Amino acid sequence: LFLSGFAAQGIGKMGFPGWMIVKIVIWLAMVALFVLAKRDKMSSKTAVIVSLLLGALVAWLCLAQPF
């Protein structure tokens, strides 16, 4: 999915709008959450809840493209 998103950006010649950069940062934060949960720095329940909320934010960014 990550690579196909970059391919779609290249085909559309849209450049990198602000919402896409924020989306990439959120995806990286989601990965960091799972690493923290695996190393017992954060409870797994908290990591899942925060990841679901971040995932909803990413979906909204893709659909609304606010900036």
Side-chain angles (χ1 to χ4, degrees), residues 6 10 14 20 22 24 28-29 38-42 45 49 62 65:
F6 280 114
M14 293 175 56
M20 179 170 272
V22 172
I24 292 169
L28 292 173
K38 184 158 178 74
R39 293 184 181 178
D40 291 328
K41 303 289 182 185
M42 175 187 291
K45 184 177 180 181
I49 290 171
C62 290
Q65 297 178 358

Side-chain angles (χ1 to χ4, degrees), residues 27-66:
W27 279 116
L28 292 173
M30 289 173 72
V31 170
L33 282 172
F34 285 111
V35 169
L36 289 173
K38 184 158 178 74
R39 293 184 181 178
D40 291 328
K41 303 289 182 185
M42 175 187 291
S43 72
S44 59
K45 184 177 180 181
T46 304
V48 169
I49 290 171
V50 173
S51 291
L52 288 173
L53 292 173
L54 288 175
L57 180 62
V58 165
W60 177 77
L61 280 171
C62 290
L63 294 174
Q65 297 178 358

